[in-house]
Amino acid sequence: MKKEKVSIIVPMYNVAEYITDCLKSILNQTYLSIEIILIDDGSTDDTLQIANDVTKNEEKVFIYSTDNHGPAHARNFGIQRATGEYIMFVDSDDYLPPKAVNSLVEAASLDNSLLVVGRTVRTNGDKTWDVASHQKYQLNQTRKKVNIEKCPELFFAIGPAAKLYHHSLIDNQTFDESIRFAEDQLFVLQTYLKAKKISIVSEIVYYYRVRQTANQSLTQTYSKQAYENLKNILMIINQACELIYEQNNYSQNEKEQLFIAYVNRLCEIELRVLFKSIYRQEGKQQKKFFQSFLKGIEKKPAIFELLMNQSVGFNNYIKNELYQFYFLIKKQAFPSYIKIVKQINLWQKEDTESDLTTKIIASNGSQTKILSLKLMTALNYLVSRLGRRMK
């Protein structure tokens, strides 16, 4: 097997506690034809100094320091300087097993694939476990020469890490620096749409660290900034729709199915977490969140009508839980909440108005009905929780 060079890009920001493990795992790869591009994104701790110490005298390591602009800018900075046939991204608090690069390059060579997706496991330092959605959608099994149309489950592995990209896939492509949450998804979405052959390998190639300290990663804290992150997700939905529908190698029906598949993933993971987090916040925050969601609908009604009408993920995770958690909706947020329920009901093409939907809409303006329905939904929730615990 020809030893094509792999450029490994690592953005770094305030990871002094973890950067040594990350860098040593890359330096200890059995595949030797690599260059390691480290971009310190304005760290205020000892990250840069530790990186210099760990990698001193390593000719294959290139370290750059920039002002703080976020991981998207740092990755773009690295891409511009990469000289490898292949590109990999590693987050600076995560690490690789020794044969990670070799497993990915071997699959790319044997299958002639431009994109290879490897297995990710999570770790807290004491134990490891598989990513639940990867298990659910069988993304830990080897598959050869698939594409995103045949394997839309790949949308559940849409982070940039644990992948090997042929440089031709990402030439003239960048991470969107205007989005601060889930900014990497649009980048990976583009590569999925362009790659005619994708390989999935069952070997573990990436350890994703679940931080136990107060210094949590951006991903682990996104539910704490629900309003801002909702705005980002709505932007991503709009841009994803544009990216998918501008493709020339898919039929109109295939484009629609791809968009729905991607939105299902957003509803099952990011949007669901954001909605669930807002139910436990104060009325002012709830109102702001619901109003932002309504504005997103008003800007792109056709997209959201399609989403609400055909997305299983939206119905299973957003709509159902929106109704289920009625008892947590605060008074200030109630008018916006009712507008969302009415809009969902309006766009459901079949006659799907349930008894609960009718009661929610009818409760608007009646404190007696609101109190009665809050009591009913709270009791239903408690019963369902007890039922799950007893199984």
Side-chain angles (χ1 to χ4, degrees):
M1 181 174 66
K2 183 183 176 183
K3 297 292 184 181
E4 286 103 345
K5 187 196 293 184
V6 177
S7 298
I8 302 176
I9 297 170
V10 185
M12 307 184 298
Y13 179 71
N14 286 356
V15 284
E17 185 177 352
Y18 308 108
I19 191 61
T20 297
D21 289 345
C22 175
L23 296 180
K24 285 186 175 180
S25 77
I26 300 173
L27 291 170
N28 291 333
Q29 288 298 299
T30 59
Y31 190 89
L32 301 179
S33 184
I34 62 175
E35 65 175 4
I36 306 168
I37 302 172
L38 309 179
I39 307 96
D40 184 74
D41 187 37
S43 292
T44 57
D45 64 1
D46 294 329
T47 295
L48 182 58
Q49 183 59 53
I50 294 170
N52 277 304
D53 291 343
V54 172
T55 63
K56 63 182 178 183
N57 302 322
E58 292 282 356
E59 295 183 356
K60 57 190 175 186
V61 177
F62 304 90
I63 301 179
Y64 302 91
S65 182
T66 69
D67 292 334
N68 179 244
H69 297 290
H73 177 271
R75 292 187 186 114
N76 289 336
F77 189 96
I79 290 171
Q80 292 170 3
R81 287 153 181 80
T83 62
E85 184 78 5
Y86 294 102
I87 308 289
M88 286 182 65
F89 300 100
V90 177
D91 287 344
S92 50
D93 51 351
D94 302 331
Y95 58 96
L96 310 179
K99 294 183 180 180
V101 179
N102 189 74
S103 296
L104 294 168
V105 174
E106 188 175 62
S109 178
L110 292 174
D111 300 340
N112 195 26
S113 295
L114 295 181
L115 177 61
V116 184
V117 180
R119 180 178 170 190
T120 297
V121 294
R122 298 191 175 199
T123 179
N124 60 7
D126 297 322
K127 61 180 182 178
T128 62
W129 63 96
D130 279 301
V131 180
S133 61
H134 294 187
Q135 277 192 310
K136 179 179 178 180
Y137 295 103
Q138 300 180 330
L139 291 173
N140 295 334
Q141 299 178 10
T142 295
R143 304 189 206 181
K144 298 189 176 190
K145 301 178 182 178
V146 299
N147 59 35
I148 192 60
E149 182 195 351
K150 293 178 181 177
C151 188
E153 309 90 73
L154 278 167
F155 285 135
F156 286 87
I158 203 160
K163 295 175 179 64
L164 184 79
Y165 308 83
H166 191 270
H167 75 86
S168 63
L169 267 186
I170 59 176
D171 284 346
N172 304 313
Q173 184 175 309
T174 59
F175 290 87
D176 190 334
E177 298 180 24
S178 68
I179 302 175
R180 295 290 289 186
F181 166 66
E183 78 291 332
D184 46 18
Q185 291 195 16
L186 292 172
F187 181 93
V188 179
L189 173 61
Q190 289 182 73
T191 64
Y192 278 161
L193 293 171
K194 289 195 290 185
K196 294 180 179 179
K197 282 192 283 188
I198 303 171
S199 293
I200 304 173
V201 297
S202 59
E203 291 89 351
I204 296 171
V205 303
Y206 199 86
Y207 288 99
Y208 173 88
R209 189 187 301 273
V210 178
R211 297 192 193 178
Q212 302 298 302
T213 66
N215 184 25
Q216 292 184 322
S217 68
L218 285 174
T219 302
Q220 293 167 32
T221 59
Y222 71 78
S223 64
K224 297 176 183 177
Q225 301 167 332
Y227 169 70
E228 291 298 328
N229 290 332
L230 174 66
K231 291 199 299 183
N232 283 328
I233 288 296
L234 295 176
M235 287 174 58
I236 288 170
I237 289 173
N238 292 335
Q239 291 183 37
C241 185
E242 293 173 3
L243 281 172
I244 291 170
Y245 278 88
E246 71 185 13
Q247 300 298 311
N248 296 320
N249 51 332
Y250 299 100
S251 69
Q252 195 69 12
N253 182 62
E254 288 168 344
K255 292 174 185 178
E256 184 174 294
Q257 293 307 308
L258 283 170
F259 177 64
I260 291 299
Y262 175 60
V263 168
N264 281 338
R265 181 247 188 267
L266 284 176
C267 289
E268 185 169 340
I269 300 181
E270 286 85 3
L271 267 178
R272 185 187 191 189
V273 171
L274 293 180
F275 269 87
K276 290 189 82 166
S277 70
I278 206 66
Y279 298 137
R280 290 168 173 80
Q281 294 188 23
E282 296 299 319
K284 185 177 179 181
Q285 283 73 37
Q286 284 188 353
K287 178 182 177 181
K288 192 175 181 182
F289 183 90
F290 292 144
Q291 286 180 339
S292 180
F293 189 69
L294 283 167
K295 285 181 182 178
I297 292 173
E298 290 167 2
K299 285 182 180 178
K300 299 286 183 178
I303 291 178
F304 284 91
E305 182 175 5
L306 177 67
L307 184 158
M308 291 179 183
N309 193 45
Q310 294 197 28
S311 169
V312 174
F314 181 84
N315 282 296
N316 286 350
Y317 300 106
I318 307 304
K319 174 189 169 183
N320 288 351
E321 291 181 356
L322 190 71
Y323 296 178
Q324 179 185 15
F325 292 112
Y326 176 93
F327 65 95
L328 293 174
I329 305 303
K330 309 298 189 299
K331 184 177 180 180
Q332 281 178 279
F334 203 76
S336 300
Y337 171 84
I338 290 293
K339 285 182 181 179
I340 293 173
V341 172
K342 285 182 175 179
Q343 189 64 71
I344 293 172
N345 188 58
L346 178 66
W347 276 342
Q348 297 282 323
K349 288 193 182 297
E350 298 179 4
D351 185 16
T352 56
E353 185 173 336
S354 67
D355 183 55
L356 180 57
T357 307
T358 304
K359 288 179 178 178
I360 289 174
I361 294 172
S363 71
N364 189 26
S366 170
Q367 290 304 312
T368 302
K369 289 180 179 179
I370 289 173
L371 183 60
S372 174
L373 195 52
K374 283 196 171 189
L375 180 61
M376 186 192 82
T377 52
L379 287 171
N380 287 343
Y381 176 71
L382 288 173
V383 169
S384 67
R385 290 274 294 182
L386 285 170
R388 287 196 296 270
R389 288 183 178 181
M390 291 173 67
K391 286 183 179 179

